[in-house]
Amino acid sequence: MSVQQPKVGFVSLGCPKNLVDSERILTQLRAEGYQISPDYNGADLVVVNTCGFIESAVQESLDAIGEALAENGKVIVTGCLGIKEGQIRDVHPSVLKVTGPHAYEEVMDSVHHYLPPKKDHHPFIDLVPAQGIKLTPKHYAYVKISEGCNHRCTFCIIPSMRGDLVSRPIGSVMAEAQNLVKSGVKELLVISQDTSAYGVDLKYKLDFWNGQPLKTRMQELCEAMSTLGAWVRLHYVYPYPHVDNVIPLMAEGKILPYLDIPFQHASPRILKLMKRPAHSENTLERIKQWREICPDLVLRSTFIVGFPSETEEEFEELLNWLREAQLDRVGCFKYSPVDGAAANELPDPIPEDVKEARWQRFMEVQQEISAQRLQLKIGKTIQVLIDDIDEEEGVAIARSAADAPEIDGNVYIEGEGAADLKIGAFATVTIVDADDYDLYAELA
């Protein structure tokens, strides 16, 4: 008689990079015969993968740990907040174990200790798919190409949590990407802390994939991924000079014409205080050159307003830069002190009401830019990827090359045939309308 398989509940919080960590742990759990429980009550213990980047994320993580303890009682904590074990145990002293980020082996050791795997587990019966366990829909997946970061931005504590840059060999990344596409994934989202720096720690070491020699470097990675037949989308790209080399690949349709570049500000003084890399003053000129090479290029970015000592003139400089840059997708955050960040020591903090007012003004400017740029798409025929079907409304919810999942806009397909489309399939549509952030289309 077979012993019942032990069940683990799992809570994953934070960014896509954390999601990939969760997928790796879940894949190992399944490979060792553990079942994944969909709720607290059915689990023998719960793993909570936390985020600790900003104060609101810290509180969300502490609340999730508390909920897991209340509902289940046996909790292992991992992730970015795990580097602050004292803070966690001050609030939740009964957690079984606390580990830091990407501590896969330590998490598994803890699970083994508190919930040993069944003795009759057979790895050839309890099969795990080649692409591993994924928490995203079947048609897209995140591919993490490196861990950590070599920069020391004053508002950020990621290096203290995740360490310096450690790139995965390109052969390993490509093998994973190939397995994902074979499993039905239509879109690969390349993520890291600094995608442009991929391979610098390995001195762009030569590796092999399918017998083909490849340097562990961003351009070679993009070239190789472009052969897989899936959408390839780049996130977290710093505007180093060599980024110019991937724009022609976008123009040729090899990878999506989409760059996610966290510019953070436009004032040279503020950027210097932030210790941002690659904050050269010619960014606007480079954007212009990129668009000349690839007219369909979509630029997404994030910014911080209310950074310590930011003057009204510097904020206006940011707004003027934004108007000239004409970015497609933009997120904005009000600066908030993060425990352990160097920026906390900077003088002249900005009052909360001023931060709020600047955030509102920033978003108003960008909303107008976004709306204007989306209006230019009306009448165009484009390819989209179907994410969902609203059968009641007869509407298909999709994304274009310009839209990353969860953070950008959607394309709503209405009219005849829309409800018959399949999730995870591509469709060709004609844009008929637009609002501030989304597009509306009919099948072409």
Side-chain angles (χ1 to χ4, degrees):
M1 181 177 171
S2 177
V3 179
Q4 185 177 3
Q5 290 179 311
K7 290 186 176 181
V8 177
F10 208 99
V11 179
S12 183
L13 303 171
C15 66
K17 294 178 282 291
N18 231 30
L19 187 77
V20 173
D21 290 347
S22 296
E23 290 172 342
R24 180 170 174 180
I25 295 168
L26 286 166
T27 298
Q28 189 60 38
L29 287 168
R30 287 294 293 118
E32 295 186 13
Y34 290 91
Q35 291 293 305
I36 308 304
S37 175
D39 53 46
Y40 292 123
N41 293 333
D44 297 303
L45 64 74
V46 177
V47 177
V48 180
N49 191 5
T50 60
C51 178
F53 183 49
I54 57 177
E55 289 308 311
S56 59
V58 170
Q59 190 56 54
E60 181 185 17
S61 294
L62 291 173
D63 290 346
I65 295 166
E67 181 180 325
L69 283 169
E71 296 291 332
N72 183 277
K74 298 175 72 176
V75 177
I76 293 170
V77 177
T78 188
C80 289
L81 188 59
I83 65 166
K84 301 176 181 177
E85 181 172 358
Q87 183 178 355
I88 293 170
R89 291 197 180 277
D90 283 346
V91 181
H92 302 299
S94 61
V95 295
L96 299 176
K97 178 72 175 179
V98 179
T99 78
H102 56 90
Y104 316 111
E105 292 82 4
E106 200 174 350
V107 171
M108 290 307 302
D109 287 346
S110 301
V111 172
H112 294 157
H113 179 77
Y114 292 104
L115 185 65
K118 67 172 189 175
K119 289 184 170 60
D120 63 348
H121 161 57
H122 198 299
F124 295 105
I125 296 175
D126 298 322
L127 291 175
V128 175
Q131 74 273 16
I133 305 299
K134 293 295 169 184
L135 298 176
T136 49
K138 293 181 180 179
H139 58 282
Y140 69 81
Y142 295 101
V143 180
K144 185 158 65 169
I145 62 174
S146 64
E147 273 290 358
C149 182
N150 288 342
H151 305 300
R152 297 296 183 263
C153 301
T154 57
F155 56 83
C156 181
I157 55 172
I158 293 293
S160 66
M161 292 177 172
R162 293 182 172 264
D164 288 337
L165 177 73
V166 179
S167 300
R168 292 174 59 192
I170 195 168
S172 167
V173 174
M174 285 306 303
E176 178 187 352
Q178 187 171 38
N179 282 333
L180 287 168
V181 174
K182 284 180 179 177
S183 75
V185 166
K186 304 292 178 61
E187 178 180 11
L188 301 168
L189 299 110
V190 178
I191 59 170
S192 66
Q193 301 298 338
D194 182 357
T195 296
S196 316
Y198 176 60
V200 69
D201 56 310
L202 300 176
K203 298 181 180 177
Y204 309 119
K205 183 180 177 182
L206 193 69
D207 198 18
F208 291 87
W209 168 63
N210 288 349
Q212 174 186 355
L214 292 171
K215 283 191 174 182
T216 301
R217 187 164 51 189
M218 185 176 76
Q219 183 177 350
E220 282 82 349
L221 178 68
C222 292
E223 289 269 15
M225 280 192 169
S226 75
T227 66
L228 297 177
W231 276 4
V232 177
R233 190 182 301 276
L234 300 181
H235 285 280
Y236 312 108
V237 176
Y238 287 92
Y240 304 131
H242 68 266
V243 173
D244 296 355
N245 298 333
V246 303
I247 306 301
L249 303 182
M250 297 177 178
E252 294 163 15
K254 291 185 174 182
I255 62 175
L256 291 182
Y258 180 102
L259 272 182
D260 172 15
I261 301 180
F263 289 116
Q264 303 298 10
H265 213 281
S267 160
R269 189 185 73 89
I270 294 295
L271 288 167
K272 189 173 181 181
L273 286 176
M274 290 178 169
K275 291 191 176 178
R276 293 294 291 165
H279 60 264
S280 59
E281 282 67 42
N282 68 346
T283 305
L284 287 171
E285 183 59 34
R286 290 183 71 202
I287 290 173
K288 182 181 176 183
Q289 292 170 357
W290 292 343
R291 284 177 168 151
E292 287 173 355
I293 297 168
C294 183
D296 292 331
L297 179 64
V298 170
L299 292 172
R300 146 166 278 282
S301 191
T302 51
F303 294 85
I304 297 173
V305 297
F307 194 77
S309 79
E310 178 191 59
T311 65
E312 177 62 25
E313 291 74 22
E314 287 166 332
F315 176 67
E316 284 289 348
E317 183 178 2
L318 171 58
L319 294 185
N320 290 332
W321 187 96
L322 201 62
R323 292 184 184 102
E324 190 169 350
Q326 291 287 299
L327 304 181
D328 301 88
R329 304 294 193 186
V330 169
C332 182
F333 301 91
K334 290 167 280 188
Y335 173 77
S336 63
V338 178
D339 188 26
N344 298 348
E345 308 304 317
L346 292 173
D348 304 320
I350 306 300
E352 290 301 319
D353 60 333
V354 176
K355 289 183 195 176
E356 177 66 27
R358 289 178 181 174
W359 182 84
Q360 293 285 355
R361 289 163 60 194
F362 180 100
M363 293 308 295
E364 285 171 10
V365 169
Q366 180 54 37
Q367 185 177 25
E368 185 177 342
I369 293 169
S370 174
Q372 289 172 350
R373 293 191 68 78
L374 290 181
Q375 286 293 318
L376 297 174
K377 296 180 183 289
I378 295 175
K380 292 188 175 182
T381 298
I382 62 172
Q383 186 183 51
V384 296
L385 183 58
I386 312 301
D387 278 341
D388 201 2
I389 305 291
D390 186 335
E391 295 180 359
E392 193 173 313
E393 296 293 330
V395 174
I397 303 164
R399 289 179 295 106
S400 71
D403 308 303
E406 300 187 359
I407 57 173
D408 293 329
N410 290 314
V411 180
Y412 294 94
I413 308 169
E414 302 168 319
E416 187 177 351
D420 298 325
L421 293 168
K422 303 298 182 186
I423 293 174
F426 287 108
T428 302
V429 301
T430 300
I431 306 302
V432 296
D433 200 3
D435 59 23
D436 291 345
Y437 299 111
D438 299 310
L439 296 172
Y440 300 85
E442 296 174 348
L443 286 172

Coordinates of all heavy atoms in Angstrom, one line a residue, residues 17 53 155 193 235-239 258-266 271 274 276 299-305 318 321-322 327-334 359 362-363 366 407-408:
K17 N 11.1 37.8 -11.1 CA 12.4 37.1 -10.7 C 12.1 36.2 -9.5 O 12.6 35.0 -9.5 CB 13.5 38.1 -10.4 CG 13.9 38.9 -11.6 CD 15.0 39.9 -11.4 CE 14.4 41.1 -10.7 NZ 13.5 41.9 -11.6
F53 N 11.6 44.4 -1.1 CA 12.2 45.5 -1.8 C 11.8 46.9 -1.2 O 12.6 47.8 -1.0 CB 11.9 45.4 -3.3 CG 12.5 46.5 -4.1 CD1 13.9 46.7 -4.0 CD2 11.8 47.2 -5.0 CE1 14.5 47.7 -4.8 CE2 12.4 48.2 -5.8 CZ 13.8 48.4 -5.6
F155 N 19.0 53.9 -3.9 CA 17.6 53.6 -3.4 C 17.3 52.1 -3.3 O 16.2 51.7 -2.9 CB 16.6 54.3 -4.3 CG 16.7 53.9 -5.7 CD1 16.2 52.7 -6.2 CD2 17.4 54.6 -6.7 CE1 16.3 52.3 -7.5 CE2 17.5 54.2 -8.0 CZ 17.0 53.1 -8.4
Q193 N 18.3 41.1 -13.0 CA 18.4 42.4 -12.4 C 19.0 43.4 -13.4 O 18.7 44.6 -13.3 CB 19.3 42.4 -11.1 CG 18.8 41.4 -10.0 CD 17.5 41.8 -9.5 OE1 17.0 42.9 -9.6 NE2 16.8 40.8 -8.9
H235 N 13.4 42.4 -20.7 CA 13.1 43.3 -19.6 C 14.4 43.7 -18.8 O 15.4 43.0 -18.9 CB 12.2 42.5 -18.6 CG 10.8 42.4 -19.0 ND1 9.9 43.5 -18.9 CD2 10.1 41.4 -19.7 CE1 8.7 43.1 -19.4 NE2 8.8 41.9 -19.9
Y236 N 14.3 44.8 -18.1 CA 15.4 45.2 -17.2 C 16.7 45.4 -17.9 O 17.8 44.9 -17.6 CB 15.6 44.3 -16.0 CG 14.3 43.9 -15.3 CD1 13.8 42.6 -15.5 CD2 13.6 44.8 -14.5 CE1 12.6 42.3 -14.9 CE2 12.4 44.5 -13.9 CZ 11.9 43.2 -14.1 OH 10.7 42.9 -13.5
V237 N 16.6 46.2 -19.0 CA 17.8 46.5 -19.8 C 18.3 47.9 -19.5 O 17.6 48.9 -19.5 CB 17.4 46.5 -21.3 CG1 18.6 46.8 -22.2 CG2 16.9 45.1 -21.7
Y238 N 19.6 47.9 -19.1 CA 20.3 49.2 -18.9 C 20.8 49.7 -20.2 O 21.3 48.9 -21.0 CB 21.4 49.1 -17.9 CG 20.9 48.9 -16.5 CD1 20.7 47.7 -15.9 CD2 20.6 50.0 -15.7 CE1 20.3 47.5 -14.6 CE2 20.2 49.9 -14.4 CZ 20.0 48.6 -13.9 OH 19.5 48.4 -12.6
P239 N 20.8 51.0 -20.5 CA 21.2 51.5 -21.8 C 22.7 51.7 -22.1 O 23.2 52.7 -22.4 CB 20.5 52.9 -21.9 CG 20.4 53.4 -20.5 CD 20.2 52.1 -19.6
Y258 N 10.7 45.7 -28.4 CA 10.3 46.2 -27.0 C 11.5 46.2 -26.1 O 12.2 45.2 -26.0 CB 9.3 45.1 -26.5 CG 8.7 45.4 -25.2 CD1 7.4 45.9 -25.0 CD2 9.3 45.1 -24.0 CE1 6.8 46.1 -23.8 CE2 8.8 45.3 -22.7 CZ 7.5 45.8 -22.6 OH 7.0 46.1 -21.4
L259 N 11.7 47.3 -25.5 CA 12.8 47.5 -24.5 C 12.2 48.0 -23.2 O 11.6 49.1 -23.2 CB 13.9 48.4 -25.1 CG 15.0 47.9 -25.9 CD1 15.9 49.0 -26.3 CD2 15.7 46.8 -25.2
D260 N 12.5 47.3 -22.2 CA 12.1 47.8 -20.8 C 13.4 48.3 -20.2 O 14.3 47.5 -19.8 CB 11.6 46.6 -20.0 CG 11.3 46.9 -18.6 OD1 11.3 48.1 -18.2 OD2 11.2 45.9 -17.8
I261 N 13.5 49.6 -20.1 CA 14.7 50.3 -19.6 C 14.4 51.2 -18.4 O 13.6 52.2 -18.6 CB 15.4 51.2 -20.7 CG1 15.8 50.3 -21.9 CG2 16.6 51.9 -20.1 CD1 16.4 51.1 -23.0
P262 N 14.8 50.9 -17.2 CA 14.5 51.7 -16.0 C 15.3 53.0 -16.0 O 16.4 53.0 -15.3 CB 14.8 50.8 -14.9 CG 15.8 49.8 -15.4 CD 15.6 49.7 -16.8
F263 N 14.9 54.0 -16.6 CA 15.6 55.3 -16.7 C 15.7 56.0 -15.3 O 16.7 56.6 -14.9 CB 15.0 56.3 -17.7 CG 15.2 55.8 -19.1 CD1 14.1 55.5 -19.9 CD2 16.5 55.8 -19.7 CE1 14.3 55.2 -21.2 CE2 16.7 55.4 -21.0 CZ 15.6 55.1 -21.8
Q264 N 14.6 55.9 -14.5 CA 14.5 56.4 -13.1 C 14.4 57.9 -13.0 O 13.7 58.4 -12.1 CB 15.6 55.8 -12.2 CG 15.6 54.3 -12.2 CD 14.4 53.6 -11.6 OE1 13.4 54.3 -11.4 NE2 14.5 52.3 -11.4
H265 N 15.1 58.7 -13.8 CA 15.1 60.2 -13.7 C 15.8 60.7 -14.9 O 16.3 60.0 -15.8 CB 15.7 60.7 -12.4 CG 15.0 61.9 -11.9 ND1 15.3 63.2 -12.4 CD2 14.1 62.1 -10.9 CE1 14.6 64.1 -11.7 NE2 13.9 63.4 -10.8
A266 N 15.7 62.1 -15.1 CA 16.4 62.7 -16.2 C 17.4 63.7 -15.7 O 18.3 64.1 -16.5 CB 15.3 63.5 -17.1
L271 N 20.4 61.6 -10.9 CA 20.9 60.3 -11.4 C 22.2 60.0 -10.7 O 22.5 58.9 -10.3 CB 21.1 60.3 -12.9 CG 19.8 60.3 -13.7 CD1 20.0 60.6 -15.1 CD2 19.1 58.9 -13.5
M274 N 21.6 59.0 -7.3 CA 21.0 57.6 -7.3 C 22.1 56.6 -7.6 O 21.9 55.4 -7.4 CB 19.9 57.5 -8.4 CG 18.6 58.2 -8.1 SD 17.5 58.0 -9.5 CE 16.0 58.7 -8.8
R276 N 23.1 55.8 -10.6 CA 22.6 55.0 -11.7 C 23.6 54.7 -12.7 O 24.4 55.6 -13.1 CB 21.4 55.7 -12.4 CG 20.2 55.8 -11.5 CD 19.6 54.5 -11.2 NE 19.0 53.9 -12.4 CZ 18.6 52.6 -12.5 NH1 18.9 51.8 -11.4 NH2 18.1 52.1 -13.5
L299 N 9.0 51.5 -26.0 CA 9.9 51.7 -24.9 C 9.1 51.8 -23.6 O 8.1 52.6 -23.5 CB 10.7 53.0 -25.0 CG 11.8 53.0 -26.1 CD1 12.4 54.4 -26.3 CD2 12.9 52.0 -25.8
R300 N 9.4 50.9 -22.6 CA 8.8 51.0 -21.3 C 9.9 51.4 -20.3 O 11.0 51.0 -20.5 CB 8.2 49.6 -21.0 CG 8.3 49.2 -19.5 CD 7.5 48.1 -19.0 NE 6.1 48.4 -18.8 CZ 5.7 49.1 -17.8 NH1 6.5 49.4 -16.8 NH2 4.4 49.4 -17.6
S301 N 9.4 52.1 -19.3 CA 10.4 52.5 -18.3 C 9.7 52.8 -16.9 O 8.5 52.8 -16.9 CB 11.1 53.8 -18.7 OG 12.3 54.1 -17.9
T302 N 10.5 52.9 -15.9 CA 10.1 53.3 -14.6 C 10.8 54.5 -14.1 O 12.0 54.7 -14.5 CB 10.2 52.2 -13.6 OG1 11.6 51.7 -13.6 CG2 9.2 51.0 -13.9
F303 N 10.2 55.3 -13.3 CA 10.8 56.5 -12.7 C 10.5 56.7 -11.2 O 9.5 56.1 -10.8 CB 10.3 57.7 -13.5 CG 10.7 57.8 -14.9 CD1 10.0 57.1 -15.9 CD2 11.8 58.5 -15.3 CE1 10.3 57.1 -17.2 CE2 12.2 58.5 -16.6 CZ 11.5 57.8 -17.6
I304 N 11.3 57.4 -10.6 CA 11.1 57.7 -9.1 C 11.0 59.3 -9.0 O 11.8 60.0 -9.5 CB 12.3 57.3 -8.3 CG1 12.4 55.7 -8.3 CG2 12.1 57.7 -6.8 CD1 13.6 55.2 -7.6
V305 N 9.9 59.7 -8.4 CA 9.7 61.1 -8.1 C 9.8 61.4 -6.6 O 9.6 60.5 -5.8 CB 8.4 61.7 -8.6 CG1 8.4 61.6 -10.1 CG2 7.2 61.0 -8.0
L318 N 12.5 66.5 -15.6 CA 12.0 65.2 -15.8 C 10.8 65.2 -16.7 O 10.7 64.4 -17.7 CB 11.7 64.5 -14.5 CG 11.0 63.1 -14.6 CD1 11.9 62.1 -15.4 CD2 10.8 62.6 -13.2
W321 N 11.8 66.0 -20.2 CA 12.4 64.9 -20.8 C 11.4 63.9 -21.3 O 11.5 63.3 -22.4 CB 13.4 64.3 -19.8 CG 14.3 63.2 -20.4 CD1 15.5 63.3 -20.8 CD2 13.9 61.8 -20.5 NE1 16.0 62.1 -21.2 CE2 15.1 61.1 -21.0 CE3 12.8 61.0 -20.2 CZ2 15.1 59.8 -21.3 CZ3 12.8 59.7 -20.5 CH2 13.9 59.0 -21.0
L322 N 10.4 63.6 -20.4 CA 9.3 62.7 -20.7 C 8.6 63.1 -22.0 O 8.3 62.2 -22.8 CB 8.4 62.6 -19.5 CG 7.5 61.4 -19.4 CD1 8.3 60.1 -19.2 CD2 6.6 61.6 -18.2
L327 N 7.9 58.1 -24.4 CA 7.9 56.7 -24.1 C 6.5 56.1 -24.2 O 5.5 56.8 -23.9 CB 8.4 56.5 -22.7 CG 9.8 57.0 -22.4 CD1 10.3 56.7 -21.0 CD2 10.9 56.5 -23.4
D328 N 6.4 54.8 -24.5 CA 5.1 54.2 -24.7 C 4.4 53.7 -23.4 O 3.2 53.9 -23.2 CB 5.2 53.0 -25.6 CG 5.8 53.4 -27.0 OD1 7.1 53.4 -27.1 OD2 5.0 53.6 -27.9
R329 N 5.2 53.1 -22.6 CA 4.7 52.5 -21.3 C 5.6 53.0 -20.2 O 6.8 52.8 -20.2 CB 4.7 51.0 -21.4 CG 4.0 50.4 -22.6 CD 2.5 50.6 -22.5 NE 1.8 49.8 -23.4 CZ 0.5 49.9 -23.6 NH1 -0.2 50.8 -23.0 NH2 -0.1 49.1 -24.5
V330 N 5.0 53.6 -19.1 CA 5.7 54.1 -18.0 C 5.1 53.8 -16.7 O 3.9 54.0 -16.5 CB 5.9 55.7 -18.2 CG1 6.5 56.3 -17.0 CG2 6.8 56.0 -19.4
G331 N 5.9 53.5 -15.7 CA 5.5 53.3 -14.3 C 6.2 54.4 -13.5 O 7.4 54.7 -13.8
C332 N 5.6 54.9 -12.5 CA 6.2 55.9 -11.6 C 6.0 55.5 -10.2 O 4.9 55.2 -9.8 CB 5.6 57.3 -12.0 SG 6.4 58.6 -11.0
F333 N 7.0 55.7 -9.4 CA 6.9 55.4 -7.9 C 7.3 56.7 -7.1 O 8.2 57.4 -7.5 CB 7.9 54.3 -7.5 CG 7.6 53.0 -8.2 CD1 8.2 52.7 -9.4 CD2 6.7 52.1 -7.7 CE1 7.9 51.5 -10.1 CE2 6.4 50.9 -8.4 CZ 7.0 50.6 -9.6
K334 N 6.6 56.9 -6.1 CA 7.0 58.0 -5.1 C 8.2 57.4 -4.3 O 8.0 56.3 -3.8 CB 5.8 58.4 -4.2 CG 4.8 59.2 -5.0 CD 3.5 59.3 -4.1 CE 2.7 58.0 -4.2 NZ 1.3 58.1 -3.6
W359 N 3.9 63.1 -8.3 CA 3.5 61.8 -8.9 C 2.2 62.1 -9.7 O 2.1 61.5 -10.9 CB 3.2 60.8 -7.8 CG 2.8 59.5 -8.3 CD1 3.6 58.5 -8.7 CD2 1.4 59.0 -8.5 NE1 2.9 57.4 -9.2 CE2 1.6 57.7 -9.1 CE3 0.2 59.5 -8.3 CZ2 0.4 56.9 -9.4 CZ3 -0.9 58.7 -8.6 CH2 -0.8 57.4 -9.2
F362 N 3.2 63.9 -12.9 CA 4.0 63.0 -13.8 C 3.0 62.1 -14.5 O 3.1 61.9 -15.7 CB 4.9 62.2 -12.9 CG 5.8 61.2 -13.8 CD1 7.1 61.5 -14.1 CD2 5.2 60.0 -14.2 CE1 7.8 60.6 -14.8 CE2 6.0 59.1 -14.9 CZ 7.3 59.4 -15.2
M363 N 2.1 61.5 -13.8 CA 1.1 60.5 -14.4 C 0.2 61.2 -15.4 O -0.2 60.6 -16.4 CB 0.3 59.8 -13.3 CG 1.2 58.9 -12.4 SD 2.3 57.7 -13.4 CE 1.0 56.7 -14.2
Q366 N 2.2 61.6 -18.6 CA 2.5 60.3 -19.3 C 1.1 59.8 -19.8 O 1.1 59.1 -20.9 CB 3.1 59.3 -18.4 CG 3.4 57.9 -19.0 CD 4.2 58.0 -20.3 OE1 5.1 58.8 -20.4 NE2 3.8 57.2 -21.3
I407 N 1.8 44.2 -16.7 CA 2.2 45.5 -16.5 C 1.9 46.5 -17.6 O 1.9 47.8 -17.3 CB 3.8 45.6 -16.3 CG1 4.5 45.0 -17.5 CG2 4.2 44.9 -15.0 CD1 6.0 45.1 -17.4
D408 N 1.5 46.0 -18.8 CA 1.2 46.9 -19.9 C -0.3 46.8 -20.2 O -1.1 46.2 -19.4 CB 2.1 46.6 -21.1 CG 3.5 47.0 -20.9 OD1 3.8 47.9 -20.1 OD2 4.4 46.3 -21.5

